[in-house]
Amino acid sequence: MGCGGSAPAEAVSAPPASNGAGNPIKAGSASESRNVDQILERAKAEEEGKIKMLLLGAGESGKSTIFKQMRLLYGTERSDDDLRMYGVVARSNIVVAVRKLCSHIRNLGLEEELDRESRENEELEEGDHSSMTCRQAYDELMAYLVDNTATASAQDPMADMGGKKDWVGQSPRAGLAANNDAKQFLAHHESIRILWQSNTMKQVWAKRSAVNIIDSHKDYLNDISRIASPDYRPTTQDVLIARVRTTQVVMEKYRIDNIDFEMYDVGGQRSERRKWIDCFDQVTAVIFVAALSEYDQTLAEAKRTNRMVEALELFRSVCNNRAFSNTSIMLFLNKKDIFAEKIL
C-alpha cells in the first residue's frame, strides 16, 4: 500500500470562550466581575455593620418625640419649610386642646363657675383688664370652635398683626385640617388666652385625663401671645412637643462615632400596627416606649381601654414575637416629669 504525503498543518486558533449560551465573553469581563463582587462584599459589610433601631409603643407614648430628639442631637438642622410646618401644627394643637377643654367645662357643669368668676373680677377690677370676661371668651370659643353656631364671620387673623406678614403662614405639608385650625387660632387667640388664665380652667386642667389632652401642650397654652405673633418661629421645644400623628414608617440615618445608625418611627395606634411587620427584618434593637403618665387615661381609639394596660399587653407581644428572638429590646419609661406632677 502506498502512503500519500501530507501537507504541513496550518496553525489552528482555539475557538473563542463561551458563557454557555453561545455568546463570547468579552475581554476584561472577568476583572469587571471581580470588581462587582468586591462592591457587593463592601456593601454587605457596611450593611452588617449598620445598627438598625426600631421605635415601638402605643399611640402618643412619645416615640416621635424621641425620634425628633435624635435628629436634634445627630441629624441635620430643620429647614424654614420644616419650621413653618411645625408652626402650623403648634397653632393647630392649641385649638384641638381648647376644643376638648371647652367641652369638658360644659360636661363638668362649670359654666356657672365661669359666670361667678367673671362677676368677681369685674367687681374687684382684678384679673384680665381687657374688654372680654372669661365667660365671654368661653362663649366665643364654643360658638366658633366647638358647636360651630356662630353667625358672624370670624375676625380676620391678619387684623391683629397690623398688616405685618405672618412668618409661619400656611404649610401644605401640615394638611388641610391643621391649616384651618391654625387660622382659627389666629382669629381667636385672645379669647383662648383669657379663658386659659381663668381659675375655672385650672380646675378643668386638673381633670384633663378624662379628655386625653396631651400634657406637654400646657407649654403652648402658657405662651399664646408668642405663638400668635407674626414673627413667631418655632423653638426647639415647640418642635419637640408638636403632635403630628405618625401614619407611615419614617426613617432617619445618623453617623455616630463612625457607626451608621438607622432609626425607624412607626404609628402606635391600633390601625397603624399592621405596618410594623415591614420593619422587623434585621433589626439590631427595639426601643419600646411607654408613658408613665398615662396610667389614668384611655386610648383615643378605644375609650374603655386603659393606656397603661394597653402598653403592657403590647410590650408582652413584642417580647414574645419570634422576629425579635435574637434582638435586644429596651424599655423606655417616658414622661416621668408629668407622672410626678400627677401623683404629688
Side-chain angles (χ1 to χ4, degrees):
M1 287 179 62
C3 270
S6 61
E10 295 181 1
V12 179
S13 59
S18 171
N19 61 4
N23 299 320
I25 297 177
K26 296 180 181 179
S29 61
S31 62
E32 290 176 3
S33 178
R34 285 195 298 271
N35 290 337
V36 171
D37 290 341
Q38 290 173 0
I39 292 172
L40 292 175
E41 286 295 329
R42 282 198 299 270
K44 182 180 178 182
E46 289 176 1
E47 188 66 26
E48 290 175 348
K50 187 183 298 179
I51 295 179
K52 182 179 178 181
M53 306 184 75
L54 180 60
L55 286 166
L56 297 181
E60 297 184 6
S61 59
K63 300 183 301 300
S64 295
T65 301
I66 295 172
F67 191 74
K68 287 184 281 189
Q69 286 173 325
M70 285 295 292
R71 174 167 175 173
L72 177 66
L73 292 171
Y74 303 108
T76 57
E77 291 186 5
R78 298 283 180 186
S79 65
D80 283 353
D81 188 50
D82 290 337
L83 292 177
R84 286 188 171 94
M85 181 196 73
Y86 282 112
V88 169
V89 170
R91 290 170 172 175
S92 171
N93 287 167
I94 292 171
V95 170
V96 170
V98 168
R99 282 197 185 105
K100 293 180 179 180
L101 289 169
C102 287
S103 297
H104 205 32
I105 287 176
R106 181 164 58 188
N107 294 338
L108 293 171
L110 293 176
E111 292 173 326
E112 291 184 2
E113 189 71 17
L114 280 174
D115 288 332
R116 183 192 61 77
E117 184 177 347
S118 296
R119 287 194 301 269
E120 288 180 356
N121 287 341
E122 288 177 343
E123 290 172 1
L124 299 173
E125 296 183 352
E126 293 180 351
D128 197 291
H129 294 283
S130 70
S131 59
M132 184 181 293
T133 65
C134 57
R135 176 59 199 238
Q136 290 170 335
Y138 167 78
D139 288 341
E140 177 183 317
L141 295 173
M142 288 296 291
Y144 282 97
L145 303 184
V146 181
D147 296 332
N148 296 318
T149 56
T151 55
S153 300
Q155 180 182 351
D156 181 4
M158 300 304 294
D160 286 342
M161 296 185 177
K164 191 172 182 180
K165 185 178 180 181
D166 181 34
W167 185 85
V168 170
Q170 296 201 338
S171 171
R173 292 172 57 194
L176 180 61
N179 279 285
N180 288 338
D181 282 346
K183 284 183 182 179
Q184 293 277 38
F185 167 79
L186 291 176
H188 304 289
H189 66 88
E190 186 63 15
S191 300
I192 294 172
R193 184 186 66 82
I194 292 169
L195 182 61
W196 172 249
Q197 292 178 345
S198 68
N199 292 325
T200 304
M201 184 57 80
K202 291 180 174 63
Q203 298 178 47
V204 177
W205 182 257
K207 300 175 182 179
R208 65 191 178 278
S209 61
V211 288
N212 286 336
I213 291 176
I214 297 175
D215 302 279
S216 59
H217 288 173
K218 183 179 181 180
D219 291 351
Y220 286 156
L221 291 162
N222 283 333
D223 217 352
I224 295 293
S225 297
R226 176 180 66 88
I227 297 173
S229 166
D231 298 321
Y232 171 59
R233 291 174 64 100
T235 64
T236 298
Q237 180 65 9
D238 291 341
V239 171
L240 287 176
I241 66 176
R243 168 61 180 164
V244 181
R245 179 175 172 175
T246 306
T247 57
Q248 58 184 349
V249 179
V250 185
M251 187 267 286
E252 290 273 4
K253 294 183 178 181
Y254 311 105
R255 188 165 182 81
I256 307 171
D257 295 333
N258 294 321
I259 300 174
D260 291 320
F261 285 78
E262 284 185 1
M263 181 169 279
Y264 292 80
D265 183 25
V266 295
Q269 285 77 16
R270 289 179 174 180
S271 60
E272 298 296 326
R273 293 174 196 170
R274 65 182 182 274
K275 302 174 185 176
W276 289 10
I277 196 169
D278 297 331
C279 307
F280 285 1
D281 188 38
Q282 296 181 340
V283 173
T284 309
V286 170
I287 300 177
F288 189 92
V289 184
L292 288 171
S293 63
E294 294 181 346
Y295 68 92
D296 60 346
Q297 294 177 250
T298 58
L299 294 180
E301 63 268 36
K303 299 297 183 184
R304 295 186 178 182
T305 304
N306 179 274
R307 291 194 180 197
M308 186 64 73
V309 172
E310 177 80 356
L312 287 168
E313 291 297 325
L314 189 55
F315 182 62
R316 183 180 292 111
S317 67
V318 168
C319 291
N320 293 330
N321 194 302
R322 287 185 296 178
F324 301 135
S325 57
N326 296 314
T327 301
S328 299
I329 299 177
M330 295 173 276
L331 175 61
F332 192 100
L333 299 177
N334 199 19
K335 303 185 182 181
K336 176 185 173 183
D337 54 337
I338 300 172
F339 173 67
E341 179 187 325
K342 281 185 175 182
I343 63 174
L344 293 179

